[in-house]
Amino acid sequence: MLECLKKINGKATGIFAAGVLFGTAGIKILSSRDAKKVYTNCTAAVLRAKDCVMKTASVIQENAEDIYAEAKQINQERALTEEEVGEEETEEEIEEEA
């Protein structure tokens, strides 16, 4: 039986035991009231940041819609101007032929 104990690697066993100890202590620390308070405050901060980002995204979207509407209006006015110029050129060509 003593031969079995001689085959056990003391260093590896010690590292394993330390890992179990730190793991158990870590679970206790992570599930404590103080840790819960920290998690709650972090979650609240993330939610505030989300609200801020969503407001900024809404403003950017509204501005993009305004820009798009103005660009469409400019193109419509330009098309009307080009039609008028085209009609004037056609009238001038007809007058020159006559």
Side-chain angles (χ1 to χ4, degrees), residues 54-64:
M54 293 306 290
K55 286 178 185 177
T56 303
S58 295
V59 169
I60 290 171
Q61 185 177 6
E62 289 171 4
N63 288 340

Side-chain angles (χ1 to χ4, degrees), residues 2-13:
L2 292 176
E3 288 182 28
C4 289
L5 294 176
K6 289 181 181 179
K7 291 182 180 181
I8 295 175
N9 185 349
K11 184 177 180 181
T13 305

Side-chain angles (χ1 to χ4, degrees), residues 82-97:
E82 288 177 358
E83 279 182 19
E84 291 173 2
V85 170
E87 289 176 4
E88 288 177 7
E89 288 177 357
T90 306
E91 289 175 6
E92 289 176 3
E93 289 174 2
I94 293 174
E95 289 177 7
E96 288 177 4
E97 290 177 2

